[in-house]
Amino acid sequence: MTGREEALRRRGQRLAWLIVVWDIIEGAIAVTAGLAAGSIALLGFGIDSVIEVFAAAVVIWQLRAGPRARQRPALQLIAVSFLALAGYVTYKSASDLIGAERPDTSLVGIGLNVVALAVMIPVAVAQRR
């Protein structure tokens, strides 16, 4: 591995750790607000944060072995976790729709989404680089 590749690997790990910390905070707030408001969308957002923590941990695991090592199993693990979330949100959304359940408004959820947008766009740009 060249010096540039090693520097990129370390940068990728730092970004993944940043995502872990951010998503733990974001997930805790979103799940709490989602449960309080009875909002499957906000709860799904919080669960997505948990999955993103898992995905970032998988990326850290992959990068520790090198830039290309473990890439396929890492992607498969991440894909399965998002597929499980999609199944849960689909089921819960359909059952709430059939049961005519309406969530409460959540100002915390709205604020969290605005802050998440402001935080994650620069992180995504940094990851792309």
Side-chain angles (χ1 to χ4, degrees):
M1 185 179 319
T2 68
R4 173 149 170 75
E5 287 174 336
E6 178 60 24
L8 288 173
R9 186 185 67 76
R10 282 194 313 273
R11 182 177 181 189
Q13 283 184 316
R14 283 192 307 272
L15 285 168
W17 278 111
L18 173 68
I19 290 168
V20 167
V21 171
W22 168 256
D23 280 327
I24 287 171
I25 295 166
E26 179 186 74
I29 294 169
V31 167
T32 302
L35 291 172
S39 169
I40 183 59
L42 194 49
L43 187 59
F45 184 71
I47 294 170
D48 173 68
S49 295
V50 173
I51 291 172
E52 288 180 31
V53 168
F54 171 74
V58 169
V59 168
I60 292 166
W61 169 74
Q62 179 214 346
L63 288 174
R64 283 188 176 158
R68 298 279 183 242
R70 303 180 184 159
Q71 188 170 19
R72 186 172 178 86
L75 291 174
Q76 289 171 336
L77 286 168
I78 294 167
V80 167
S81 66
F82 278 108
L83 184 62
L85 173 62
Y88 169 73
V89 170
T90 300
Y91 166 76
K92 185 66 174 142
S93 297
S95 67
D96 284 357
L97 185 61
I98 291 166
E101 294 184 33
R102 297 180 59 97
D104 294 331
T105 302
S106 174
L107 295 178
V108 171
I110 293 167
L112 178 62
N113 278 285
V114 169
V115 172
L117 185 63
V119 169
M120 293 314 289
I121 287 176
V123 171
V125 169
Q127 285 178 318
R128 183 79 171 142
R129 276 192 247 137

